[in-house]
Amino acid sequence: MGNNLVGNHIRRLRFEHNEMTQQQLADKAGVTRQTIVALEKGNYSPSLELAFRIALVFDLTIEEVFFYGDPSDRSAR
Amino acid sequence: MTYQEKKSIVSVVSTVLIFLIYCLYRYPQRPEFGLDSTDTFRYWGSFVLVLTIVSILAHIVISIGFTIIFRITTKEKEPGFADELDRLIELKSHRNSFFVFILGFVLAMGALVLEQPSDIMFIILIAAGFLSDLTGSISKLYHYRRGV
């Protein structure tokens, strides 16, 4: 994962949603596949608007898709 | 590798090739006489103008060719719009590109202050234009690969 502190579970969520492809998610969220790639690698922190749009695609809240900080720290808490 | 990364690589390669080929063709035609004659200024003026036009046309042709090859080889359609990541990367690459050009511009003015021939000033300005273009493309490639 990249240097950004905003992490996400997009890869897992795609898999859980009928193995949705990056392109399908990109089309539904209104971005390019490159942006989904960057998000999954942790190379980009999305805008609040995009975070909402991605969460809506999975029918989840933002906190269920994105987290702040290292995910291992989060699970340890 | 995604469309944007491939496009940035093509942009870097085409920028270098266009500039090198054009310089190899035009530089030997430089007027020999008089360091600061009217012909010298006319030569450098036409050098920059023709380079700009040739560069724009070549980039359009290469971009169309790249899009066709991309569609044939990957069976994917290229993104038809720029999203927030594209715009952010565009801004950062423009910032780096302008910084390099301004640096070149200041150096070119410095050459005049140091009483160097006007040829030197033009060469520095043209090199700054080329390097700033290259910096923009390399910055894009870097940010698409390493993030922002």
Side-chain angles (χ1 to χ4, degrees):
Chain A
M1 199 164 266
N3 298 324
N4 287 304
L5 282 171
V6 178
N8 62 73
H9 304 295
I10 291 175
R11 191 185 292 268
R12 178 174 59 78
L13 289 167
R14 277 198 303 111
F15 184 74
E16 289 169 1
H17 283 73
N18 295 324
E19 298 187 14
M20 186 189 285
T21 64
Q22 290 174 329
Q23 188 62 59
Q24 285 169 333
L25 175 60
D27 292 341
K28 285 179 181 173
V31 292
T32 61
R33 189 172 76 84
Q34 173 74 54
T35 302
I36 303 299
V37 172
L39 283 170
E40 287 189 358
K41 282 184 182 170
N43 285 340
Y44 175 55
S45 298
S47 67
L48 193 55
E49 187 190 340
L50 177 57
F52 268 113
R53 287 209 303 266
I54 291 171
L56 281 173
V57 170
F58 294 121
D59 206 17
L60 296 169
T61 62
I62 280 189
E63 285 108 330
E64 287 171 302
V65 182
F66 295 95
F67 54 84
Y68 184 73
D70 190 351
S72 54
D73 293 349
R74 203 177 135 84
S75 55
R77 258 184 262 154
Chain B
M1 201 181 280
T2 57
Y3 172 80
Q4 287 89 342
E5 288 170 8
K6 286 177 186 168
K7 197 178 174 189
S8 302
I9 292 171
V10 169
S11 181
V12 170
V13 174
S14 60
T15 301
V16 172
L17 281 180
I18 293 164
F19 186 75
L20 280 181
I21 292 168
Y22 182 77
C23 284
L24 287 174
Y25 170 71
R26 275 306 295 275
Y27 193 73
Q29 297 171 3
R30 196 165 61 106
E32 296 289 328
F33 45 85
L35 285 175
D36 287 323
S37 72
T38 317
D39 283 337
T40 307
F41 286 107
R42 190 177 295 126
Y43 167 78
W44 285 114
S46 76
F47 188 102
V48 173
L49 276 180
V50 176
L51 175 62
T52 308
I53 294 165
V54 165
S55 178
I56 290 169
L57 291 177
H59 270 111
I60 290 170
V61 171
I62 289 168
S63 178
I64 292 169
F66 167 71
T67 306
I68 292 167
I69 292 168
F70 179 81
R71 280 191 189 186
I72 292 168
T73 53
T74 62
K75 309 261 190 293
E76 274 181 46
K77 199 171 178 291
E78 75 284 356
F81 63 97
D83 64 11
E84 60 179 49
L85 178 63
D86 295 320
R87 286 194 291 270
L88 186 61
I89 290 175
E90 190 83 21
L91 278 174
K92 284 180 183 264
S93 65
H94 276 160
R95 180 198 60 191
N96 296 345
S97 179
F98 286 141
F99 178 77
V100 171
F101 185 75
I102 292 299
L103 195 69
F105 183 81
V106 170
L107 281 175
M109 295 305 110
L112 286 183
V113 171
L114 296 172
E115 296 180 0
Q116 295 295 311
S118 56
D119 273 6
I120 300 292
M121 186 267 289
F122 281 113
I123 289 169
I124 294 173
L125 270 183
I126 291 164
F130 164 68
L131 289 175
S132 73
D133 199 6
L134 201 61
T135 305
S137 299
I138 291 171
S139 298
K140 269 188 193 171
L141 180 62
Y142 174 83
H143 287 302
Y144 274 122
R145 289 192 74 85
R146 304 294 297 271
V148 281

